[in-house]
């Protein structure tokens, strides 16, 4: 579980998750990224890396992105 602003998103994807997966002897893994800003550079890089790894035939964790950017209340939009 990482915030989209975390400067070590790629490190978590490439190093931490595989280490945890091996230690737990698990077959599958997932990474949950909480999107807290409109800046998407790190998140886009992460998703591009995952696509590259898939093309290269590597096993990749599922990546789940949760949008947690505050939204205006629907009742105030009217």
């Amino acid at each position: 579980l990482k915030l989209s602003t975390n400067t070590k998103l790629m490190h978590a994807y490439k190093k931490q998750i595989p280490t945890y997966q091996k230690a737990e002897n698990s077959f599958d893994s997932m990474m949950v990224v909480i999107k807290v800003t409109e800046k998407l550079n790190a998140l886009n890089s992460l998703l591009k890396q995952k696509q590259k790894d898939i093309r290269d035939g590597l096993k990749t964790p599922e990546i789940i992105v949760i949008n947690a950017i505050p939204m205006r209340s629907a009742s105030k939009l009217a």
Side-chain angles (χ1 to χ4, degrees):
L1 180 67
K2 299 286 183 190
L3 294 176
S4 61
T5 54
N6 188 311
T7 59
K8 296 192 178 190
L9 264 183
M10 194 64 74
H11 177 264
Y13 174 80
K14 289 184 174 182
K15 302 292 183 185
Q16 286 181 320
I17 291 175
T19 299
Y20 295 146
Q21 189 171 352
K22 184 177 180 182
E24 295 294 326
N25 198 27
S26 63
F27 183 74
D28 292 318
S29 60
M30 70 175 60
M31 179 177 189
V32 178
V33 180
I34 309 293
K35 182 179 164 188
V36 294
T37 180
E38 292 294 338
K39 293 181 183 179
L40 299 175
N41 294 343
L43 183 56
N44 284 340
S45 293
L46 178 69
L47 296 173
K48 285 179 184 176
Q49 181 65 51
K50 178 180 169 67
Q51 291 304 313
K52 179 188 177 303
D53 291 346
I54 289 170
R55 284 192 306 272
D56 291 344
L58 300 174
K59 186 173 178 178
T60 63
E62 180 178 356
I63 297 177
I64 298 169
V65 179
I66 298 172
N67 186 350
I69 297 174
M71 305 287 280
R72 289 188 61 196
S73 170
S75 63
K76 293 182 180 180
L77 294 175

